[in-house]
């Protein structure tokens, strides 16, 4: 199993491109199930989760053709197998996103309950509740969601909680429903907007994406389209944190501050200079960062997917910071590993208090989930001596060629077995 070895203590400097967003690419790939025509996508990141999704779509009968360095062509004309088996989806929570499109287009679906990162309960009951409101018969048996419907009917759906994948699944299902569907308490994330823009290009009638009320007027069928995946705001934020923690100076290209206002505000508070340019972001770190407290919440507030990276940043900042995690109940597992590097972190319930230390020390640590992996990379880049991160398959699910990109910025990092 691959590991990452990092010799810390080098400030990151230079320029690196940001890849397409994993959390936008996965639902948009599933949109290919909604049409018999060709969907052409570009700016697709090379990630394990994306590769898994493409294999899953191929197994369902979509013709999948890679195009250029970052493109894929999906042809749904021969799609004939509305099933997502456990062995295909056990490592990837986003697999549940095939549920809505399959029911909408095929009238049935058999989808394994998904896996993914072990960061707490992320139930699919809101997906099921929404499909039932649109007239589907849904049952969960032997680890699978079984859904059946004629043509789905438009409905008013108010989810009990803000759910990104739930909003995306129901928006895709509603695109082919009979009548209007209103999604209330909808997720407002930029990735939801990117999916809506792709669906609109395919002929869907959607208004309100980016707000908490989305209206979808169902159409008889969707057609082919071309769409470019948005930049990955979490990859962007991760590299900004890495540069800040190491005292570096970087420019990230192919990205935008517009998706990252809460993160940029915290970096400014930490003492960084940040410039938002047309299609890039420049950051210059101070001699030493100031500790910054934060509370995670749904977009546009501070993203839970950046909590671990800021915890790593705070471990070497001046002062103490309080971090409150309100989205997932089991997302402080990286704190124990950071402590192995010398971090001073106290946890009570969903609150962590991080007191900055002068220096972290390299050690062997183990990644527990995707964003925890990123926090350990940041800490390893700062630590004195060598840090070895085990179980980096989590990293490969969400960061494209991370050791190559970090090396371009001067980091001493290599993949080992």
């Amino acid at each position: 199993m691959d590991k990452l070895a990092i010799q810390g203590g080098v400030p990151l400097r230079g320029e690196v491109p940001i890849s397409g967003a994993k959390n936008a690419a996965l639902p948009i790939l599933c949109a290919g199930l909604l049409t018999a025509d060709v969907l052409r996508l570009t700016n697709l990141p090379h990630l394990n989760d994306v590769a898994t999704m493409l294999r899953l779509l191929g197994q369902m009968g979509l013709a999948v053709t890679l195009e250029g360095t970052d493109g894929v062509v999906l042809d749904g004309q021969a799609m004939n197998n509305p099933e997502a088996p456990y062995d295909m989806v056990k490592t990837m929570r986003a697999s549940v996103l095939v549920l809505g499109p399959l029911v909408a287009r095929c009238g049935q679906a058999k989808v394994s309950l998904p896996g993914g990162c072990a960061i707490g309960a992320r139930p699919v009951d809101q997906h099921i509740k929404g499909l039932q409101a649109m007239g589907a018969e849904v049952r969960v048996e032997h680890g699978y969601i079984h859904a059946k419907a004629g043509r789905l009917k438009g409905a008013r759906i108010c989810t009990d909680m803000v759910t990104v994948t739930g909003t995306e699944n129901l928006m895709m299902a509603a695109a082919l429903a009979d009548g209007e569907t209103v999604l209330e308490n909808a997720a407002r994330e930029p990735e939801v907007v990117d999916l809506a823009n792709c669906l609109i290009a395919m002929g869907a009638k959607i208004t309100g994406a980016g707000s908490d009320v989305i209206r979808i007027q169902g159409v008889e069928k969707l057609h082919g389209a071309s769409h470019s995946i948005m930049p990955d705001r979490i990859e962007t934020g991760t590299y900004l944190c890495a540069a800040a923690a190491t005292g570096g100076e970087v420019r990230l290209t192919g990205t935008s501050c517009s998706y990252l206002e809460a993160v940029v505000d915290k970096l400014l508070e930490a003492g960084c200079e940040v410039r938002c340019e047309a299609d890039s972001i420049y950051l210059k770190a101070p001699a030493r960062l100031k500790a910054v407290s934060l509370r995670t919440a749904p977009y546009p507030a501070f993203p839970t997917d950046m909590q671990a990276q800021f915890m790593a940043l705070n471990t070497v900042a001046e002062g103490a910071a309080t971090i409150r995690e309100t989205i997932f109940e089991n997302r402080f597992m990286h704190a124990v590993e950071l402590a192995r590097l010398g971090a001073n972190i106290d946890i009570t319930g969903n609150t962590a208090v991080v007191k900055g230390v002068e220096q972290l020390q390299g050690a062997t640590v183990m990644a527990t989930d995707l964003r925890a992996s990123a926090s350990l990379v940041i800490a390893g880049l700062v630590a004195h001596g060598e840090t070895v991160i085990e179980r980096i398959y989590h990293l490969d699910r969400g960061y494209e060629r991370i050791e190559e990109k970090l090396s371009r910025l001067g980091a001493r990092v290599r993949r080992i077995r």
Side-chain angles (χ1 to χ4, degrees):
M1 190 175 294
D2 285 4
K3 306 173 185 179
L4 215 58
I6 302 172
Q7 289 286 341
V10 178
L12 298 187
R13 301 190 188 281
E15 183 173 292
V16 74
I18 294 301
S19 302
K22 177 189 84 128
N23 290 338
L26 295 175
I28 289 171
L29 286 169
C30 293
L33 295 166
L34 289 166
T35 179
D37 295 340
V38 168
L39 177 62
R40 178 172 276 103
L41 303 174
T42 55
N43 202 32
L44 191 72
H46 294 267
L47 302 169
N48 285 354
D49 275 8
V50 170
T52 299
M53 183 65 78
L54 290 175
R55 287 195 301 272
L56 177 60
L57 296 177
Q59 182 171 304
M60 292 177 177
L62 266 68
V64 178
T65 306
L66 298 179
E67 189 173 71
T69 58
D70 65 355
V72 68
V73 177
L74 303 175
D75 186 340
Q77 184 174 4
M79 198 265 285
N80 58 3
N81 180 27
E83 180 175 347
Y86 173 73
D87 63 346
M88 291 288 293
V89 305
K90 61 186 177 182
T91 63
M92 184 180 65
R93 167 146 191 96
S95 57
V96 75
L97 287 164
V98 303
L99 180 62
L102 288 176
V103 177
R105 184 172 167 208
C106 303
Q108 60 180 318
K110 180 183 177 183
V111 178
S112 172
L113 291 170
C117 288
I119 57 175
R122 297 193 280 182
V124 297
D125 58 328
Q126 300 304 302
H127 306 238
I128 293 171
K129 171 186 171 182
L131 288 173
Q132 289 173 329
M134 286 191 275
E137 298 177 10
V138 187
R139 68 184 194 278
V140 179
E141 293 179 352
H142 306 296
Y144 279 83
I145 304 168
H146 299 259
K148 185 178 291 187
R151 188 180 180 192
L152 294 171
K153 304 292 184 182
R156 174 185 168 273
I157 302 168
C158 183
T159 55
D160 298 333
M161 64 187 74
V162 177
T163 162
V164 176
T165 54
T167 299
E168 292 166 339
N169 227 340
L170 298 175
M171 185 165 62
M172 286 190 283
L176 292 179
D178 180 16
E180 183 181 67
T181 297
V182 180
L183 301 181
E184 299 183 356
N185 200 27
R188 300 166 60 185
E189 271 73 0
E191 294 81 7
V192 173
V193 177
D194 205 30
L195 172 62
N197 289 339
C198 179
L199 293 171
I200 290 168
M202 296 168 68
K205 297 180 179 178
I206 301 172
T207 58
S211 76
D212 59 359
V213 178
I214 302 175
R215 297 180 181 272
I216 308 102
Q217 188 68 43
V219 297
E220 287 285 341
K221 65 177 183 176
L222 297 179
H223 53 69
S226 296
H227 182 79
S228 180
I229 307 293
M230 66 173 281
D232 195 316
R233 62 193 174 100
I234 305 302
E235 184 193 28
T236 301
T238 299
Y239 282 101
L240 290 174
C241 281
T246 60
E249 182 178 4
V250 299
R251 176 173 279 103
L252 308 180
T253 61
T255 189
S256 169
C257 284
S258 62
Y259 313 120
L260 279 167
E261 291 180 357
V263 170
V264 169
D265 286 347
K266 289 297 177 184
L267 289 168
L268 292 170
E269 186 181 329
C272 295
E273 176 188 347
V274 183
R275 289 204 305 266
C276 300
E277 300 168 348
D279 61 350
S280 62
I281 303 175
Y282 167 86
L283 178 140
K284 183 177 181 180
R288 190 177 184 194
L289 297 167
K290 299 173 185 175
V292 289
S293 296
L294 58 93
R295 177 182 182 274
T296 66
Y299 188 86
F302 192 91
T304 181
D305 277 355
M306 285 300 304
Q307 175 259 109
Q309 297 90 315
F310 268 80
M311 183 179 286
L313 180 152
N314 278 320
T315 63
V316 291
E318 181 181 358
T322 299
I323 297 176
R324 291 187 174 87
E325 173 59 58
T326 72
I327 307 297
F328 296 120
E329 74 279 6
N330 196 25
R331 207 166 200 183
F332 283 151
M333 291 186 288
H334 47 278
V336 176
E337 301 301 310
L338 289 171
R340 285 181 51 78
L341 301 173
N344 184 346
I345 305 171
D346 292 318
I347 295 177
T348 303
N350 71 336
T351 302
V353 176
V354 186
K355 296 178 181 177
V357 298
E358 289 289 337
Q359 180 72 63
L360 297 179
Q361 301 293 325
T364 298
V365 292
M366 182 177 69
T368 54
D369 63 70
L370 172 54
R371 305 308 173 186
S373 304
S375 75
L376 297 177
V377 169
I378 292 170
L381 291 169
V382 174
H384 177 74
E386 183 176 74
T387 298
V388 176
I389 304 171
E390 298 182 339
R391 290 174 55 176
I392 63 164
Y393 61 83
H394 289 294
L395 273 175
D396 294 332
R397 290 183 48 236
Y399 292 93
E400 182 177 15
R401 303 190 307 274
I402 188 167
E403 69 271 29
E404 177 186 320
K405 288 188 178 184
L406 287 172
S407 295
R408 288 177 61 172
L409 296 175
R412 296 176 295 187
V413 54
R414 70 190 192 281
R415 188 175 291 247
I416 61 176
R417 291 190 178 275

